[in-house]
Amino acid sequence: MIEVAVFDTKPYDREYLNQAPGTERVTWRFHEFRLCLETAAAAKGARVACLFVNDQADRACLEALVLHGVKLIALRCAGFNNVDIAAARELGLVVVRVPAYSPHAVAEHAVALLLTLNRKIHRAFNRVRELNFSLSGLVGFDLHGKTVGIIGTGKIGSITAQIFRGFGTEVLAHDPFPAPDWAATHGVRYVGLNTLLKESDIVSLHVPLLPETHHLLNEQTFSLMKQGVFILNTSRGKLIDTGALIAALKVGHLGGVALDVYEEEQGVFFEDLSGQVLQDDELSRLLTFPNVLITAHQAFLTREALGEIARVTIANILHFETGEPLIADTPL
Ligand code: NAD
């Protein structure tokens, strides 16, 4: 049996990991708390530490994991910005991830957020339940004929672009590694970042968090955007400078902002804080805008995605144990 310390687990993680093929060869040690230096000792005796997006595997934490006998870091997600990959390599740790569990889940959530925000479905739902059938303040716009800017046309961005094409929008795209054949097939036009920002009615982020994408949307890039632009971020919170976002919202420059991720989401997203005082003043401010819609990093949360995350995570662990080629080693 392979001992696996699983951090930041929720009931749905346990359900799907306990059902996936190969689970009978693994002893899961489920922990609800997140991994950090202070909690690394919980992996003592485990060969594998299994992490999610908000576990913090910095160098000191990785050193502690190695001391406790961990050989493999198995991420249950695609992004790996929360693991110091260079330190892991130096320490002889192998890092695997689930690069594509369901790009459709995330793309569909991005579009769901836009439709909800634009047509004010969330507000209408609450009104109607209180027998308020007034339509005042619920005016939206037709998506048809608008211009959508997709930043990052990898697995998720490309599907998002295709869905938006189905609404009859023009789609502009920006990516340092464009896919011209795909763009030609789907009627998508690659442009420079500034052109995309200037011409788009809706801007949707689908890039990984890297040093060069940190605060990709900031005071300067917001200033290039159209008055009334809608912004969607289902990728990583730190792609947006939250202070600049709030400033642009306060002056009425942005028509709507839909976020599934937030710069300082650790310790807040995925938790029930309904009985507590929210300590994050920027998040508190964001929640007061009528044209901001926030979900708590749930874009991945479909049955298909959870099943695939569990299947690939176990396959990664078993392949590591048997010396078979790893399914999803990090690209670094
Ligand atoms: P991917 O690797 O398939 O695609 C990323 C694309 O971004 C690539 O084409 C890359 O060339 C491009 N890119 C890199 N730097 C860029 C830049 N500076 N400007 C423009 N494009 C750039 O990744 P993916 O599977 O499509 O996922 C995208 C991101 O979505 C992930 O990195 C992750 O952060 C996020 N994500 C979020 C959730 C969620 O639940 N909210 C779930 C899965 C993934």
Side-chain angles (χ1 to χ4, degrees):
M1 294 295 269
I2 308 157
E3 295 249 341
V4 181
V6 197
F7 291 89
D8 200 9
T9 60
K10 302 291 178 211
Y12 47 80
D13 295 310
R14 291 170 220 160
E15 180 187 338
Y16 281 85
L17 285 170
N18 276 324
Q19 284 172 8
T23 192
E24 65 285 352
R25 294 169 62 188
V26 178
T27 302
W28 301 109
R29 285 164 35 186
F30 292 117
H31 301 298
E32 287 184 16
F33 50 82
R34 281 172 288 133
L35 174 70
C36 59
L37 176 60
E38 289 70 32
T39 60
K44 190 169 182 173
R47 277 177 65 76
V48 185
C50 184
L51 321 186
F52 197 50
V53 292
N54 287 325
D55 291 303
Q56 284 305 318
D58 55 17
R59 180 178 288 273
C61 176
L62 292 170
E63 284 170 353
L65 289 178
V66 169
L67 276 178
H68 291 303
V70 169
K71 306 278 183 233
L72 176 72
I73 305 287
L75 289 158
R76 310 193 295 285
C77 52
F80 49 90
N81 52 283
N82 55 333
V83 178
D84 184 336
I85 298 290
R89 292 266 189 273
E90 278 175 38
L91 292 163
L93 281 166
V94 175
V95 184
V96 290
R97 64 187 179 126
V98 186
Y101 38 87
S102 172
H104 296 279
V106 183
E108 289 171 14
H109 191 76
V111 178
L113 286 175
L114 176 68
L115 293 175
T116 305
L117 187 60
N118 170 32
R119 302 306 299 271
K120 304 176 173 62
I121 305 295
H122 53 313
R123 300 180 68 188
F125 174 80
N126 285 328
R127 274 191 199 185
V128 169
R129 284 171 70 92
E130 296 199 348
L131 308 187
N132 174 356
F133 301 104
S134 152
L135 300 184
S136 299
L138 299 185
V139 178
F141 58 81
D142 284 12
L143 271 180
H144 185 267
K146 297 294 183 297
T147 300
V148 180
I150 301 286
I151 305 183
T153 54
K155 292 176 284 296
I156 296 169
S158 59
I159 292 170
T160 310
Q162 289 166 222
I163 297 173
F164 276 123
R165 286 291 291 148
F167 282 99
T169 64
E170 188 187 345
V171 174
L172 304 179
H174 174 69
D175 194 306
F177 301 98
D181 292 346
W182 164 81
T185 303
H186 295 284
V188 172
R189 188 157 59 92
Y190 278 104
V191 294
L193 180 62
N194 287 0
T195 304
L196 181 148
L197 297 174
K198 284 179 189 160
E199 294 187 5
S200 298
D201 301 296
I202 296 138
V203 172
S204 194
L205 301 179
H206 301 285
V207 297
L209 177 63
L210 303 166
E212 55 272 27
T213 58
H214 182 261
H215 286 185
L216 180 71
L217 298 191
N218 54 45
E219 188 183 352
Q220 189 263 331
T221 45
F222 284 131
S223 72
L224 297 175
M225 295 184 191
K226 279 185 182 178
Q227 173 69 28
V229 64
F230 273 54
I231 292 170
L232 311 177
N233 187 7
T234 53
S235 285
R236 283 292 179 268
K238 289 184 195 297
L239 297 175
I240 299 183
D241 177 340
T242 307
L245 180 74
I246 290 171
L249 279 161
K250 281 174 80 173
V251 296
H253 182 55
L254 309 178
V257 175
L259 306 175
D260 185 52
V261 287
Y262 169 63
E263 234 186 322
E264 301 300 334
E265 67 183 52
Q266 291 94 338
V268 179
F269 281 17
F270 308 121
E271 307 302 330
D272 178 0
L273 304 182
S274 53
Q276 297 183 34
V277 175
L278 188 58
Q279 296 298 324
D280 184 324
D281 291 348
E282 287 195 319
L283 181 57
S284 308
R285 185 69 180 95
L286 280 175
L287 290 168
T288 67
F289 292 102
N291 55 344
V292 172
L293 179 63
I294 299 179
T295 52
H297 209 135
Q298 74 173 75
F300 74 99
L301 201 64
T302 65
R303 290 195 295 269
E304 291 78 3
L306 288 169
E308 191 60 8
I309 287 170
R311 186 189 72 77
V312 175
T313 297
I314 294 179
N316 271 330
I317 293 168
L318 296 181
H319 281 210
F320 176 76
E321 285 299 314
T322 56
E324 289 171 72
L326 294 169
I327 294 174
D329 198 0
T330 53
L332 296 178

